Amino acid sequence: MGKFSDDRKRKGLLRALVYGPPKSRKTWWVTKLAEAGFNVLLCDIEDGAAVAGNLSEAAQNRIYRLDLRPNSESLSTSGGAAISYAMSGEVVNFDEETRTYAAVPKVDPDTLYTQIDFRQLGPHDVLVFDTWTAFVQQMIGLTVVISNPTVVPKLEWDDFAKVRLILDNFLTNVLKLNCHVVIIAHSETYAKRKPTADPKDKPKDAIESVRLQPCSVTRAHAETMAGKFNEVFYMEIPNSTMGTMISTKGSEDFDAGCRTVAPGIYKFDNFNLASLMPSEILEAVKDSGEFSSPAITTRTGADISALRAGNSAAPIKVGAG
């Protein structure tokens, strides 16, 4: 399979990391891009797509949801593995009914597969990963061999290193795509111990610093996340009166910051993510209809096998998600 091209024009493409505690309306805020007319390909790894029901019917029709939760068979065939393969430049055959990835030699001729080809996404498309946290957990499950399901395995340093390499490769490829990309993650408080701390020291004496970061495989990897994106938003609900607040102003305590938005704290209803998009792109997508993209097509297993054998078979484009 071909690899992603490094020389594609990416002027004006959104590269955003949105993170915060659960139920802080992150997914809702991001999927509102469909209201502006964008195709939104929602890689739903944590079953959070229901919040898109808050959008207009027209916007909902511009969202295609890929259910990428673990299936009942194996993590090696689940959603996390499927999008990892797709992000490496492979065309992935995904059975959405069973949430199962199938290699070409193993496709069932009678099954209708969704073919995922991220290389076909363009500036009218927004690729959303929801959530990075759930994706990391699937990658850990793929990497760590669990011999006894009743015992929690201890992750060794080599395990963390393998997962980190997988995640870094994934992020490198996702940021090469010719579409807008938003990764949604949970936040986690990381405590850094003093190098000289004694194991018997009390927490207040042993901890050097505490920092809020996106949840990833390790604290050290979480520290690198913000630097990979042009726009980093932290979302939280400080209290029931204020509602959801969106910060583009980082500090010593947490990561946030944008290249296109002034540092500050904004109310949920006053900050539209589409405002970051170039005006020519907004003008081009404003009258778009239902979701339609060559990145998401369907074929039967029989057609996939026929194409592999050199025979012709036409794809069926997928419409509304």
Side-chain angles (χ1 to χ4, degrees), residues 15-33:
R15 299 284 186 264
L17 171 64
V18 178
Y19 77 107
K23 307 299 185 291
S24 52
R25 304 168 85 186
K26 300 182 294 296
T27 305
W28 182 357
W29 188 59
V30 172
T31 54
K32 284 173 69 177
L33 285 168

Side-chain angles (χ1 to χ4, degrees), residues 60-304:
Q60 291 180 49
N61 289 336
R62 297 187 190 106
I63 299 173
Y64 191 92
R65 180 213 181 202
L66 278 171
D67 186 353
L68 300 175
R69 294 171 297 158
N71 59 41
S72 59
E73 295 185 11
S74 168
L75 282 173
S76 64
T77 64
S78 280
I83 59 171
S84 292
Y85 291 130
M87 202 53 66
S88 68
E90 181 177 342
V91 178
V92 166
N93 306 305
F94 192 67
D95 181 353
E96 294 198 58
E97 185 174 343
T98 61
R99 305 198 304 274
T100 304
Y101 158 78
V104 173
K106 296 184 178 180
V107 295
D108 179 351
D110 297 323
T111 297
L112 189 65
Y113 292 95
T114 298
Q115 291 199 301
I116 307 168
D117 187 355
F118 288 146
R119 296 168 300 177
Q120 302 301 319
L121 293 169
H124 294 184
D125 304 313
V126 182
L127 182 60
V128 179
F129 296 96
D130 187 21
T131 64
W132 176 257
T133 313
F135 176 65
V136 169
Q137 291 304 312
Q138 286 199 41
M139 293 302 99
I140 291 174
L142 274 169
T143 305
V144 180
V145 177
I146 301 176
S147 56
N148 185 343
T150 64
V151 177
V152 178
K154 180 182 178 181
L155 294 181
E156 302 294 341
W157 175 251
D158 285 349
D159 296 323
F160 287 117
K162 289 177 184 177
V163 176
R164 177 165 181 162
L165 284 173
I166 293 170
L167 299 179
D168 283 340
N169 182 64
F170 185 91
L171 288 170
T172 296
N173 284 330
V174 78
L175 296 176
K176 291 180 182 179
L177 293 174
N178 194 36
C179 65
H180 309 283
V181 175
V182 183
I183 288 183
I184 300 173
H186 293 305
S187 57
E188 185 170 350
T189 301
Y190 291 88
K192 185 176 182 180
R193 289 180 63 85
K194 296 177 182 177
T196 57
D198 188 280
K200 296 181 180 179
D201 285 347
K202 294 181 179 180
K204 66 181 182 66
D205 299 320
I207 299 212
E208 182 178 277
S209 62
V210 176
R211 188 169 177 79
L212 193 68
Q213 294 174 317
C215 185
S216 194
V217 63
T218 62
R219 176 188 59 79
H221 190 261
E223 287 179 342
T224 71
M225 289 286 291
K228 299 179 185 297
F229 297 86
N230 292 339
E231 324 291 337
V232 179
F233 303 95
Y234 177 69
M235 297 180 64
E236 66 173 342
I237 304 177
N239 56 60
S240 58
T241 303
M242 295 179 67
T244 298
M245 305 300 290
I246 304 165
S247 178
T248 62
K249 182 180 180 181
S251 70
E252 293 182 356
D253 299 322
F254 68 95
D255 292 318
C258 298
R259 294 184 178 180
T260 55
V261 181
I265 300 175
Y266 302 84
K267 291 184 178 180
F268 180 90
D269 292 331
N270 295 341
F271 193 163
N272 189 342
L273 193 53
S275 65
L276 277 62
M277 303 294 194
S279 57
E280 60 270 22
I281 294 181
L282 291 174
E283 182 66 24
V285 302
K286 68 177 184 179
D287 296 322
S288 62
E290 296 184 348
F291 181 97
S292 180
S293 170
I296 297 291
T297 55
T298 58
R299 294 185 194 272
T300 64
D303 279 343
I304 293 169

